[in-house]
Structures are given as C-alpha cells and as structure tokens.
C-alpha cells in the first residue's frame, strides 16, 4: 500500500451539510424556483455527487424541470453563497493523521465532488503541501457513485488500484471507490454504520485509520 485517497466533506471537513443546504435554499429562492429541499440526513447520503447532480436530484424529487440556463444560474449562485456563508471545520484529528502518514512516505490524495475553488480554500492553511494529487468535481464528467473520480486519482498518483486505499463517509463515495477496484475504509462521521456496510472496514474517526493500515498491510 503506497497511497491513501481521502474524500473531503464528512471525512476531512465536518459540518458542511447545513451550509450547502442553506446555500441551495437561498439560491432557489433568489431565482423564484419554488421547490422543497431535502433533509440533512438525505443530503449526507448524497455526499460525493457533484453540485449539478444534487440539483437534479432535488428537482426530480419535486417533480420539477427547469431550463438549462436557469439551472446553471441557480447552481452558480449556490456556489457564490456557499463560499460566503461556509463555516465548516477541519476534522480535529485530520492534520495530525495526514502529517503522520506523509511522514511515513505514503502518497496522499484528495478526491472530492466539490468544485476546485472550494477544495482550494479548504487546503489553504490546513493541508498545504500534503496532497500529491487533487481531483475535484470540475475535472470529471460523472460524479460518485461513478468510479471516474477514483480512476483518475489513482492514475494521477501513478499507482495501481491495489496500491491505494480510500477513506470515505457516504454510500455514493464507497460505491465509486469499490467500482474502481479500491479498498475502502468508511468513517461514521456523518452517517451511522448501517449505511456504510459496503466498505471493507468501518471506523469511528480518523484516529483509527492507522490501526486499520497496520492490520491489513
């Protein structure tokens, strides 16, 4: 095992769901789109999908269709609002765990459905210099559970899928990584264990990751 690939929201960043939902709420209201949003629990189960895919899910649930131009306007405004209101925080053990792994010469990567600007803000001041590869939702055609993001991440690391493990927190991300042929460790940070049963290992927090690595490799 040569590399660990981390999802972002719910793994390295906590508390973002409420701000994503608030940003969606403000964006649809500003554009006079009358739809009901989804609960935090349901949004957490969608974590890993790209923003446009989440909007499509919400519209479908409301049995609504919008013109492409209006959907893009809503999505663009949502990103602007989220950047302004986001007060999510870094998982308390994340910096220590990632620094320790880097010190053992593991390659580290970030694979997130978030756009690159959100990922850049997160990395700056928190994890600068730690990631050997960063793949965001802007660089893929299909969001999780499609395996594209993890296939691209492994390729950018210059490794084989058997040389990497993934740390995820949601069903779509787990499915994406498994379809890419990767070993998956799931963290119960946003969802209970019953939603994460397709992962190879389930842990309570990042502090337990090192013990999983030692036990498997």
């Amino acid at each position: 095992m040569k590399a660990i690939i981390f999802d972002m929201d719910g793994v390295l960043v906590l508390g973002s769901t409420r701000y994503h939902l608030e940003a969606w709420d403000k964006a649809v209201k500003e554009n006079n789109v009358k739809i009901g949003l989804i609960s935090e629990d349901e949004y957490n189960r969608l974590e890993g999908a790209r923003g446009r895919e989440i909007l499509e899910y919400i519209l479908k649930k409301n049995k609504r269709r919008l013109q492409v131009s209006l959907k893009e306007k809503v999505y663009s405004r949502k990103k602007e609002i989220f950047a302004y209101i986001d007060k999510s925080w870094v998982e308390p053990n994340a910096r220590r765990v990632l620094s320790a792994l880097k010190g053992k010469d593991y390659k580290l990567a970030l694979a997130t459905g978030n756009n690159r600007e959100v990922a850049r803000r997160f990395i700056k001041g928190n994890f600068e210099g730690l990631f050997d590869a960063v793949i965001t939702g802007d660089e893929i055609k299909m969001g999780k559970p499609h395996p594209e993001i993890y296939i691209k991440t492994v390729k950018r690391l210059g490794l084989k899928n058997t040389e990497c493990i993934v740390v995820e927190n949601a069903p779509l991300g787990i499915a994406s990584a498994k379809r890419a042929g990767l070993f998956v460790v799931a963290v119960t940070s946003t969802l209970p264990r019953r939603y994460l049963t397709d992962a190879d290992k389930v842990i309570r927090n990042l502090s337990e990751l090192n013990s999983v690595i030692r036990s498997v490799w």
Side-chain angles (χ1 to χ4, degrees), residues 50 53 136-143 146 148-149 152:
R50 298 181 304 167
E53 293 165 339
T136 67
D138 305 305
E139 302 173 63
I140 56 174
K141 294 180 180 179
M142 301 291 292
H146 194 280
E148 180 185 1
I149 192 166
K152 281 195 170 186

Side-chain angles (χ1 to χ4, degrees), residues 13-14 29 33 48 62 64 82 118 144 150 164 171 173 182-184 186 216:
V13 173
L14 301 177
K29 285 178 178 175
V33 177
N62 282 267
R64 289 288 308 276
F82 180 78
V118 172
K144 302 172 186 177
Y150 283 116
C164 306
L182 294 158
F183 185 97
V184 183
V216 177

Side-chain angles (χ1 to χ4, degrees), residues 31 55 66-77:
N31 286 280
L55 178 57
L66 300 180
Q67 292 183 340
V68 173
S69 59
L70 181 54
K71 285 193 290 189
E72 285 300 309
K73 189 176 179 182
V74 169
Y75 176 57
S76 177
R77 183 60 181 140

Side-chain angles (χ1 to χ4, degrees), residues 6-11 16-17 20 42-55 75 111-115 135-138 140-150 166-177 190-191:
F6 293 90
D7 176 40
M8 185 172 136
D9 287 345
V11 174
S16 62
T17 297
H20 279 297
E42 191 169 3
Y43 199 95
N44 284 334
R45 281 181 270 140
L46 292 173
E47 195 276 309
R50 298 181 304 167
R52 289 182 179 87
E53 293 165 339
I54 290 173
L55 178 57
Y75 176 57
T112 175
N114 277 298
N115 64 73
I135 302 289
T136 67
D138 305 305
I140 56 174
K141 294 180 180 179
M142 301 291 292
K144 302 172 186 177
H146 194 280
E148 180 185 1
I149 192 166
Y150 283 116
V166 168
V167 184
E168 270 284 356
N169 69 297
L172 297 186
I174 293 170
S176 173
T190 58
L191 291 168

Side-chain angles (χ1 to χ4, degrees), residues 5 7 11-12 88 97 99 104-105 108 117-118 132 135 155 179 184 215:
I5 305 170
D7 176 40
V11 174
L12 300 179
S88 54
V97 171
S99 296
K104 294 178 181 178
D105 293 326
L108 305 179
E117 178 58 26
V118 172
D132 298 279
I135 302 289
K155 185 176 181 180
R179 290 174 187 176
V184 183
S215 67

Side-chain angles (χ1 to χ4, degrees), residues 77-96:
R77 183 60 181 140
K78 182 268 176 182
K79 290 193 293 182
E80 293 174 350
I81 295 169
F82 180 78
Y84 180 73
I85 67 172
D86 180 30
K87 292 182 177 64
S88 54
W89 60 92
V90 175
E91 200 275 349
N93 302 298
R95 176 74 194 190
R96 174 182 58 81

